[in-house]
Amino acid sequence: MMKKLATGLAAVAATSALALALPSAASASTADSDSWGPVYSQHYQAKASGWVSVDWADDDHESNTITVRGKLWDLDNRSYDEGGKCAYVKFQASDFDDNWSTVYTKKYCGYPAFKRFSFDSDDVSSLRVKVCQIDLHGSYPRNCGSWSSIYTGDSETE
């Protein structure tokens, strides 16, 4: 009986310690992270949203790593025979010389569910996202929404 009581008290103490530690750990990790989205395709048949964070490698703000996490939803309930399409998300980053390039794309077919994604990109001054639709076996996105800015480093360097 005493052994069960001691084990139970130890479990409660460990759980309490973990619960007390989690809020501070969660607030520390979200302090450098901003949510973005939702961003939609044209006609609202695909959606993406998530979080973006920046880690500066130096105090002069000349080198960084952007981390993006998110979810991509396929909201097109039509069958492929009826013209249904998959969800598609595209990210472009601008370097510190204002040159834009595609840094990540993701395709997901699976109405009504979502697919998680994440990626990192180095030396980013701005980041934007666009959500589209794409044919099941296609390579050309269509029905795209407009570009949405999800990060700009201008405000951090002032």
Side-chain angles (χ1 to χ4, degrees), residues 2-133:
M2 218 34 162
K3 185 175 180 181
K4 286 182 183 179
L5 183 59
T7 303
L9 288 175
V12 168
T15 304
S16 298
L18 179 62
L20 291 173
L22 284 178
S24 61
S27 64
S29 67
T30 59
D32 298 327
S33 182
D34 288 321
S35 63
W36 57 269
V39 179
Y40 290 92
S41 67
Q42 203 175 52
H43 311 299
Y44 301 93
Q45 296 296 307
K47 173 177 90 168
S49 65
W51 302 266
V52 60
S53 62
V54 61
D55 181 26
W56 289 96
D58 59 4
D59 291 334
D60 297 327
H61 287 200
E62 294 176 350
S63 180
N64 65 15
T65 299
I66 297 291
T67 300
V68 176
R69 298 182 323 261
K71 296 178 183 176
L72 176 62
W73 281 268
D74 179 359
L75 303 176
D76 194 340
N77 65 358
R78 298 173 297 167
S79 71
Y80 300 118
D81 290 339
E82 296 171 330
K85 296 182 180 24
C86 303
Y88 180 87
V89 65
K90 179 177 186 173
F91 291 86
Q92 287 187 340
S94 173
D95 61 21
F96 294 110
D97 293 324
D98 295 323
N99 299 311
W100 288 96
S101 62
T102 299
V103 292
Y104 185 82
T105 62
K106 183 73 165 181
K107 174 181 176 178
Y108 176 63
C109 307
Y111 172 85
F114 63 85
K115 180 77 171 184
R116 293 181 193 274
F117 62 85
S118 67
F119 68 93
D120 296 326
S121 188
D122 294 326
D123 299 329
V124 174
S125 68
S126 296
L127 185 68
R128 62 188 181 186
V129 61
K130 179 172 24 177
V131 178
C132 307
Q133 289 186 281

